[in-house]
């Protein structure tokens, strides 16, 4: 009977210990042990999230356009209503409409000049869409490196604690802090880097989609100018 009670108490103590470990080991606790590098990683993560949301809003606006836009531009040009076509472009206010507006303003000049003007505006619009991507790519590449830096600093702290122990007896409590920092910063850097990398590639894919749209609008507009009145 006493043996059963002792076994039950040991099982309860083990369960309580496991529950305590599970409650103490979480992302917030891990981040606290990571040191000052975790603060930098948190700021980089917040910056990456902001850039991703801001670029998504811009890209969504760039791809939103009236499907009848080019048909209305064609009718205005064939009817000689150039001012109405320009006003429609300004009202639409999208990358493709700004390209078409520049092309309309060059009507009467050689076709090569018109095409060059449209393509130049297109290049400017693409560069605006790519704003912030360099920062996103830097975060994707730099965050893991910062995590590895924290790992090295943590290991240095571990060996320093070992060297300071004059008795020659190595205690795990003296080594745990540095080793914990070493592992936590690596995890934090990889998490931020992976998220930023996926966000960067997703934005690049969306920008490529807009580029294809602009190229299609350029060809459509040039074909429109070559149509018989």
């Amino acid at each position: 009977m006493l043996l059963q009670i002792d076994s039950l108490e040991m099982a309860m103590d083990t369960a309580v210990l496991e529950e305590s470990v599970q409650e103490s080991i979480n992302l917030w606790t891990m981040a606290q042990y990571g040191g000052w590098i975790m603060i930098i990683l948190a700021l980089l993560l917040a910056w990456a999230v902001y850039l991703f949301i801001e670029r998504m809003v811009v890209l969504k606006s760039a791809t939103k356009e009236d499907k009848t836009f080019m048909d209305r531009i064609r009718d205005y040009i064939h009817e000689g209503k150039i001012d109405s076509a320009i006003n429609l472009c300004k009202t639409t206010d999208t990358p493709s409409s700004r390209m078409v507006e520049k092309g309309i303003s060059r009507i009467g000049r050689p076709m090569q000049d018109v095409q060059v003007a449209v393509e130049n505006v297109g290049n400017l619009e693409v560069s605006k869409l790519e704003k912030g991507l360099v920062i996103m790519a830097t975060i994707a590449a730099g965050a893991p490196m910062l995590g590895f830096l924290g790992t090295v600093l943590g290991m240095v702290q571990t060996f320093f604690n070992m060297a300071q122990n004059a008795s020659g007896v190595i205690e795990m409590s003296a080594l745990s802090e540095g080793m914990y920092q070493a592992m936590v910063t690596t995890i934090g850097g990889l998490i931020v880097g992976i998220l930023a990398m996926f966000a960067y590639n997703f934005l690049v894919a969306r920008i490529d989609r807009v580029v294809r749209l602009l190229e299609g609008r350029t060809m459509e507009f040039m074909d429109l100018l070559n149509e018989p009145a």
Side-chain angles (χ1 to χ4, degrees):
M1 185 66 178
L2 293 176
L3 181 60
Q4 292 179 352
I5 294 176
D6 291 340
S7 300
L8 180 60
E9 290 179 351
M10 291 178 61
M12 293 177 62
D13 292 339
T14 302
V16 171
L17 180 60
E18 290 179 353
E19 183 179 358
S20 176
V21 172
Q22 290 177 358
E23 291 178 353
S24 62
I25 299 178
N26 52 57
L27 290 178
W28 174 246
T29 305
M30 292 171 61
Q32 288 179 323
Y33 279 94
W36 59 271
I37 289 184
M38 295 300 294
I39 299 176
I40 299 178
L41 292 175
L43 293 175
L44 291 178
L45 178 61
W47 198 357
V49 171
Y50 167 76
L51 287 175
F52 179 76
I53 296 175
E54 189 267 340
R55 286 295 90 190
M56 285 298 299
V57 172
V58 172
L59 290 171
K60 184 177 181 180
S61 176
T63 56
K64 185 177 180 180
E65 189 175 274
D66 186 3
K67 295 182 179 180
T68 64
F69 173 74
M70 289 305 299
D71 293 333
R72 296 169 65 185
I73 291 295
R74 179 182 291 103
D75 294 337
Y76 283 140
I77 291 178
H78 286 174
E79 294 172 4
K81 300 178 179 179
I82 303 301
D83 292 338
S84 298
I86 293 177
N87 291 332
L88 176 60
C89 293
K90 293 180 178 180
T91 303
T92 305
D93 193 23
T94 60
S96 58
S97 68
R98 287 189 283 271
M99 285 174 47
V100 173
E101 179 184 357
K102 176 60 69 173
I104 293 174
S105 66
R106 294 294 189 272
I107 290 179
R109 298 187 180 183
M111 295 297 294
Q112 183 65 28
D113 294 345
V114 176
Q115 184 172 357
V116 170
V118 172
E119 290 177 351
N120 288 339
V121 174
N123 292 332
L124 292 175
E125 293 296 332
V126 172
S127 65
K128 292 178 182 179
L129 296 177
E130 293 176 344
K131 179 182 177 181
L133 288 187
V134 174
I135 298 176
M136 184 73 76
T138 302
I139 294 175
M145 300 300 294
L146 283 174
F148 294 147
L149 174 61
T151 300
V152 175
L153 293 177
M155 297 307 297
V156 169
Q157 180 66 41
T158 299
F159 288 113
F160 177 79
N161 293 337
M162 294 172 60
Q164 292 296 107
N165 192 346
S167 63
V169 179
I170 301 176
E171 297 180 359
M172 290 302 299
S173 60
L175 306 179
S176 60
E177 184 177 354
M179 296 178 65
Y180 204 91
Q181 178 181 355
M183 297 299 102
V184 167
T185 55
T186 300
I187 295 174
L190 289 175
I191 290 175
V192 175
I194 290 172
L195 292 177
M197 179 186 66
F198 279 112
Y200 172 80
N201 289 330
F202 183 82
L203 291 176
V204 169
R206 292 296 298 267
I207 291 175
D208 288 341
R209 177 182 173 185
V210 177
V211 170
R212 290 193 296 270
L213 175 63
L214 296 180
E215 291 175 349
R217 283 289 183 265
T218 300
M219 296 178 61
E220 190 174 358
F221 179 71
M222 296 307 299
D223 290 340
L224 185 156
L225 296 182
N226 288 320
E227 290 179 359

